[in-house]
Amino acid sequence: MATQPGNVERLFGKAMKRREDPRFITGRATFTDDIKLPGMTYAVFVRSPLASARIRGIDVAKARAVPGVRAVFTGKDMADGGVKGIPAGWLLPDIKLTDHRPLAVDRVRHVGDAVAVVVAETPYAARDAADLVEVDYEELPAVADAVKALAPGAPQVHENAPGNRCFHWEIGDKAKAEAALKGAAKVVKVSLVNQRLIANAIEPRACAASYSPATDELTLWVTSQNPHVHRLIMGAFVLGIPEHKFRVIAPDVGGGFGSKIFIYPEEVAVSWLTRKLGAPVKWTAERRESFLTDSHGRDHHSQVEMGFDAHGKVAGLRVKTVANLGAYLTLFAPAVPTYLYGTLLNGVYDFPSIFCEVDGVFTHTTPVDAYRGAGRPEACYLLERTMDIAARTLQLDPAELRRRNYIGKDRFPFQTQVALVYDSGNYAPTLERALKMVGYEHFRTSQAEARAKGRYLGLGISTYIEACGIAPSQVVGSLGAQAGLYESGTVRVHPTGKVTVLTGSHSHGQGHETTFAQLVADELSIPIDDVEIVHGDTGRIPFGMGTYGSRSGAVGGTAIHMSLEKLKAKGRRLAAHLLEAAPEDVEFKNGRFSVKGAPDRGKAWAEVTLAAYLAHSMPAGMEPGLEETSFYDPSNFTFPFGTHIAVVEVDIATGRTELLRYVAVDDVGNVINPTIVDGQLHGGIAQGAAQALWEWATYDDNGQLLTGSLMDYGLPRADQLPKFETDRTVTPSPVNPLGVKGAGEAGTIASTPAVANAVLDALSPFGITHLDIPLTPAKVWQAVQDARGKGKG
Amino acid sequence: MYPAPFEYHRAASAQDAVALLGKYGDEAKLLAGGQSLLPLMKLRFAQPRHLIDVRRIQGLSGIREEKGMLVVGAATPYATLAASALVQAKLPMLSEAAAQIGDPQVRNMGTLGGSLAHADPAGDLPAVALALAAEIAALGPRGARTVHADDFFVELMTTALAPDELLTEVRFPLPPAGSGGAYEKYPNPASRYALVGVAAQLTVAGGKVTAARVATTGLATKPLRALAVEAALQGKAADAASLAAAAEKATDGLKLRAAAQMPDAYRRSLAVTFTARALTRAAKRAGG
């Protein structure tokens, strides 16, 4: 019995298989679409085929006549029914807010904007009827590109946002940065596009709602990364449902990457419809709806000026970015290209000055919000691509240029030029380790040999910094967040000593049921099978903020840790009482409370837990039971970092890039489960490499999405990727007692510039300095043709 | 996701399938592996009222060698073609092309007959059928007939099959000694359809090309023989220089179909590159 004294295996740091995987790989998981309720009805949305139009009228008569159809509603019906617009959750000074109606009332602003909803007894009938809803559109001019949207005379997306400018935001010291650039020995100027991406979680968005007239309670199952936030915003601001009568459940969720943070129109509509119709209603997105309506990511145009002194030391940085926000402001949209982007522009380098200004711009496109990394990949790509261009300009080795400019390990905590204070860091060892792993010294020789034979190899380096667990609440509140960014963790010890953990974090692929259980089993010295992790249900769990921004380990894990500490303290006091010893003389070790120096005088964990619930003999003033809840509000972010190196070969005849090797040395602080951290990195690297090479959400001038299916949108596949060679350094975070930082987004942040730099290194014999990502074969081939036309290569 | 209503019929025999086709006429579509038809139906781009499933018809699938031909039943899945030792030995181009279609799920379901009858302009096997001078057998109310691959692909997704005919089998003539073929494909990174696919079949005697059939897919509205390449090869040495020179003519006279994000010059260049690669491997297999 593991609760007996002895050597209990430490699980923190153990590479355990994920406990949740058996149900996923045997088809026993419960996703939202698996929710089946008696009398279920099915919703299908009618969507605008135009990017910008006035709705002259909607004729639903034919749709209503389809057998099996229960109802057809329009935006006007919902507005008349008291449903309000979906608010943005982060405000900036002078921001222009949008009236984001769940169903458009008189204007549509992007292809896919919902205009009506059909509910029927089968999804087939609903779809048949949706095809018969006749919408009379007056097509209006559209603008999809953010730079064009800022130009005078561009079509207007919202009347209250002249020039389509939603906000102008600045950070850093403008005068200081400008002076630094003036005084610099060399200023590298680059214009960069960080293209728009679509998350494409494997499980499409879905929601199902049911209303009980008996209890007046509404239950919504939804593909959400943060069910409490869904409940709060939908209940209080959109639908007007009291929070205590509204339960939101995010069951098994198949990937989010940020796209399932936000409050979506379909979730609002389905929640409203179930009460209206007195029947459960379900909706599951088709993949093409995912492309058109899941919030997109990235979409920046930036002008960069990076100054260097005569010794190749960074002297200053000025960045001007145009961020495409799409047609409406979704939940975190204003924060992503500002506080999650501009504040990361210090990177890992010792800039004496930085100034960044961002214009957030409305366009007739799908809304843009957080997508894996959310602002940080944009900052990292900008810095690392510019560093490589600078290395070539300054005729310095790209590794050496980085080495010269890292913030020294003795400088932490480090106050950046852009508000953040880095908790800890030691960047150079990750570079040196990665260079050694890849065989950097020999690479340049083999690269030269290959070029002599007409083969174009390239190597790209990126040293990144990531900011996880954005906090503390007081600070983010002062910056415009309409929420706190703490996390809750309840540990409920049952009389038999078994444990149920209620966490406000939400797992949609992160493996919390394993890592959090490792923490608990370790602290209490109980078998991991005695620990159950419950998440994703507002009916069971105290208010929590959910999972995004690589925050769950650092914030959610710490909340659980705090509750464990409280439990152990209570257990010690109770055990001391039972053992007739002073509490300070009792220690908890290997699952047993015992008197120091007298190990025979002790009580097993389960004896104490039972005593807590029997309550036959309690210390004076102690309440029965053994359950603790903690809300952890971190004092700061955590800042993982690392160096990634990609090696590629570009086939000049086709322009196609093959990834030959990928080396990653990451520092995510203490590691709870190396298998899960590796998995997060592998997936992240694949996603980031795909941004460098294949993925691209692109619109035509009429606002039609040209890459609106998996036939056109280049998701990465296993056969396009090499074996990832990973290693780690460990610099524990001083912010939280676990010393953990976060690993969910690091791979995505680091890999895009590493791969892009590698391709451009391969193309350097052609005199090609920069190409915007994605570096598609056609683009690379064209650039090589153009270079050859100029006599290069 | 949810197709328009349709009725499902499982044909018991080829004759039964033809009878059902006759009965339902324009409202019917044949269903084999369904890898192209079902996605179109789910998107409601196709809304047939009747589906006639021919996949389980006895004798409609299988591979055999007969009278100097490799005969492949129309309902034979790509995966079977790819894995068949007989096909690998006799017509390696056919198995390597089949192995590059889609993903394992698609290859387990999609069929040779379905691919040819659907005639997707970026399909792989239509080009292979052209290069191998396949004879395509069909059964209709007027009986059985055979159409040569050269006459089979009429226009965009249109073949010589009559609406009431069922494609039953494909007969590939086994090439004489000294022959070799290869299929080279540049897949669209997203869809894995051929941005360019080139099927080349050469016969080499005494170091010279005595017969050549080359076909491309992905470029035009239908798979096409590259006649200029074939002419340039005829009687020429099967050496690197001649093959490369012939490959330069890969898109001579070819009208490119529009392709999003892909400049025409790039696609023509790819066609040349992949024709050269296909010819080189074909010549090597021919023992040249």
Side-chain angles (χ1 to χ4, degrees), chain A residues 128 651 654 717 719 777 781, chain B residues 44 186 190-192 266 269 277:
Chain A
D128 290 347
D651 177 357
T654 63
R717 307 189 199 201
D719 66 356
W781 179 85
Chain B
R44 300 203 173 198
Y186 185 81
S191 71
R192 301 272 165 123
Y266 176 57
S269 164
R277 290 179 187 179

Side-chain angles (χ1 to χ4, degrees), chain A residues 84-208:
Chain A
K84 305 217 165 39
I86 302 170
W90 195 302
L91 306 182
L92 301 171
D94 300 322
I95 191 169
K96 307 294 188 294
L97 297 175
T98 55
D99 185 17
H100 184 194
R101 295 285 166 167
L103 298 181
V105 176
D106 50 10
R107 280 283 306 271
V108 289
R109 293 186 173 88
H110 69 90
V111 174
D113 219 351
V115 296
V117 59
V118 177
V119 184
E121 286 156 13
T122 68
Y124 292 91
R127 179 64 209 277
D128 290 347
D131 289 349
L132 297 174
V133 172
E134 290 171 4
V135 186
D136 181 10
Y137 293 107
E138 176 193 344
E139 186 168 6
L140 300 170
V143 62
D145 179 279
V147 174
K148 286 182 186 165
L150 280 178
Q156 291 296 290
V157 182
H158 294 281
E159 281 169 13
N160 69 328
N164 295 317
R165 191 178 272 98
C166 170
F167 61 79
H168 178 84
W169 179 88
E170 298 180 351
I171 195 166
D173 188 328
K174 186 176 185 182
K176 200 173 156 197
E178 283 175 357
L181 291 172
K182 271 205 188 96
K186 183 82 195 171
V187 177
V188 177
K189 295 185 185 180
V190 194
S191 174
L192 299 174
V193 173
N194 199 300
Q195 84 273 27
R196 178 183 286 238
L197 301 175
I198 302 174
N200 271 303
I202 193 165
E203 181 204 15
R205 286 194 297 115
C207 47

Side-chain angles (χ1 to χ4, degrees), chain A residues 123-124 127-128 131 285-288 651 653-656 694 696 698 706-707 710-715 717 719-720 777-778 781-782 785, chain B residues 1-5 42-45 47 102-103 185-193 260-263 265-267 269-270 273-274 277:
Chain A
Y124 292 91
R127 179 64 209 277
D128 290 347
D131 289 349
E286 300 185 6
R287 182 58 61 178
R288 60 178 169 173
D651 177 357
T654 63
R656 180 159 58 177
W694 308 298
W696 187 22
T698 179
L706 296 175
T707 48
L710 294 173
M711 293 289 282
D712 320 292
Y713 187 86
L715 284 188
R717 307 189 199 201
D719 66 356
Q720 293 167 308
W781 179 85
Q782 190 63 55
Q785 298 309 303
Chain B
M1 276 291 286
Y2 296 101
K42 287 180 178 180
L43 293 167
R44 300 203 173 198
F45 294 150
Q47 302 194 8
D103 52 35
K185 173 180 182 177
Y186 185 81
N188 178 311
S191 71
R192 301 272 165 123
Y193 273 90
Q261 322 291 336
M262 298 291 176
Y266 176 57
R267 293 160 72 209
S269 164
L270 285 180
T273 301
F274 283 80
R277 290 179 187 179

Side-chain angles (χ1 to χ4, degrees), chain A residues 350-364:
Chain A
D350 194 4
F351 285 101
S353 64
I354 296 175
F355 178 67
C356 168
E357 56 189 314
V358 180
D359 281 309
V361 181
F362 291 119
T363 59
H364 292 108

